[in-house]
Amino acid sequence: PSYYRLKYNLEVSDVTQVQTELCDPNTSILQYFFGDSTLYLFHISQSECRVIEISVKNLEEEIIQFHALLAEPLDDYNSFESYTRLANGLYEKLLAPALNDVPAGQDKLIVIPDGVLNYLPFQTLLAQQWEDTSSEARYDLLPYLILNYSISYGYSCSLLLEQAAIAQQKSRANRLAAFAPVFKGELAENRSSTDLNQLVYSEEEVRYISKLFKGKSYIGNEASLSNFLKDLASHTILHL
């Protein structure tokens, strides 16, 4: 049911809900959408939502070239120069229209790409043109975007909201459920020679970590499949 709901849920997220539940003062969401002839950038922060039109002229070719340079980086200066030119050009085209107006301190980005943008690692782009006269390929000195922003990716705002709700639900749930199917007395005598040997001290271990994490412990007959399935979704740590 959960998989079906995630795959076929066509409900569109409300902007106010996205701003409230996904954005904090330090976070911006950049969601891209390819139209027939234009790329649209939805820039969502806690205080505003803007739609920016971006030209798609030569965009796919530039991303393909950039991806090739990343896949097989070369130390020659011509390749290095091509990398810095494309990395800054793609930044200016895809990110600058939104980030140029971002207030200081807003250093977290959630990128939701579309189409060919799924092949672009935004963290490798350059917010500045590289100016160096040494003619050396110094990739280690470049001002990559990842140095200024914490960047994460998502498939859609709706899915991010769903994930946030699940995480919040789990945070309210019990953290630990620990299981120790200890065999003693009659249970031990009735085991066949093909059974696995008893795990010595497993009961003591489960009782100790349950106390440490303030969780549930299931010992002996209580360490059953039915109890495991019952607690599977509501506990963040399962110890077997």
Side-chain angles (χ1 to χ4, degrees):
S2 297
Y3 171 78
Y4 184 91
R5 186 179 68 255
L6 286 174
K7 184 174 182 179
Y8 296 103
N9 181 15
L10 301 179
E11 182 179 348
V12 178
S13 302
D14 179 78
V15 172
T16 303
Q17 184 184 11
V18 172
Q19 290 176 309
T20 303
E21 299 186 23
L22 297 181
C23 296
D24 57 39
N26 300 323
T27 302
S28 279
I29 296 175
L30 304 176
Q31 179 162 3
Y32 296 87
F33 172 74
F34 276 101
D36 293 334
S37 58
T38 303
L39 174 63
Y40 297 94
L41 167 57
F42 297 85
H43 177 210
I44 305 172
S45 67
Q46 201 173 51
S47 59
E48 67 174 351
C49 176
R50 293 190 295 152
V51 181
I52 302 168
E53 293 188 13
I54 299 173
S55 171
V56 296
K57 183 179 179 181
N58 300 325
L59 178 60
E60 184 171 352
E61 292 80 1
E62 291 173 359
I63 291 175
I64 291 173
Q65 293 175 31
F66 185 70
H67 193 271
L69 290 169
L70 285 173
E72 296 184 15
L74 300 173
D75 291 333
D76 66 279
Y77 190 75
N78 286 337
S79 297
F80 176 74
E81 196 171 39
S82 295
Y83 177 90
T84 57
R85 175 178 52 81
L86 285 168
N88 179 247
L90 288 169
Y91 173 87
E92 291 295 330
K93 183 175 288 188
L94 298 173
L95 293 170
L99 298 187
N100 284 349
D101 297 326
V102 165
Q106 197 171 100
D107 57 0
K108 296 179 182 178
L109 299 177
I110 300 174
V111 178
I112 302 176
D114 187 32
V116 70
L117 297 182
N118 283 285
Y119 298 98
L120 179 64
F122 284 74
Q123 63 270 23
T124 61
L125 300 183
L126 304 178
Q128 308 166 29
Q129 287 187 341
W130 178 247
E131 297 179 2
D132 181 48
T133 57
S134 65
S135 297
E136 292 184 57
R138 295 300 305 271
Y139 289 94
D140 57 317
L141 298 180
L142 293 178
Y144 299 106
L145 192 67
I146 192 66
L147 298 176
N148 296 318
Y149 292 93
S150 173
I151 302 172
S152 60
Y153 296 87
Y155 289 107
S156 70
C157 286
S158 296
L159 184 56
L160 289 173
L161 286 169
E162 181 82 17
Q163 291 172 331
I166 292 172
Q168 187 176 27
Q169 182 181 6
K170 285 190 173 182
S171 69
R172 294 195 298 262
N174 296 318
R175 291 191 60 198
L176 171 77
F179 297 80
V182 179
F183 298 100
K184 291 181 179 180
E186 185 178 346
L187 283 175
E189 294 172 0
N190 291 336
R191 289 187 305 155
S192 69
S193 60
T194 59
D195 288 333
L196 297 174
N197 291 329
Q198 180 181 346
L199 290 175
V200 182
Y201 302 118
S202 60
E203 180 177 354
E204 289 84 349
E205 177 185 82
V206 162
R207 293 190 187 280
Y208 176 77
I209 64 172
S210 295
K211 183 178 180 181
L212 185 66
F213 285 91
K214 297 180 174 60
K216 284 184 179 180
S217 62
Y218 295 97
I219 309 295
N221 290 336
E222 290 185 348
S224 62
L225 177 62
S226 60
N227 281 331
F228 172 77
L229 294 175
K230 176 173 63 71
D231 285 354
L232 182 61
S234 60
H235 290 71
T236 55
I237 302 174
L238 297 171
H239 177 83
L240 304 177

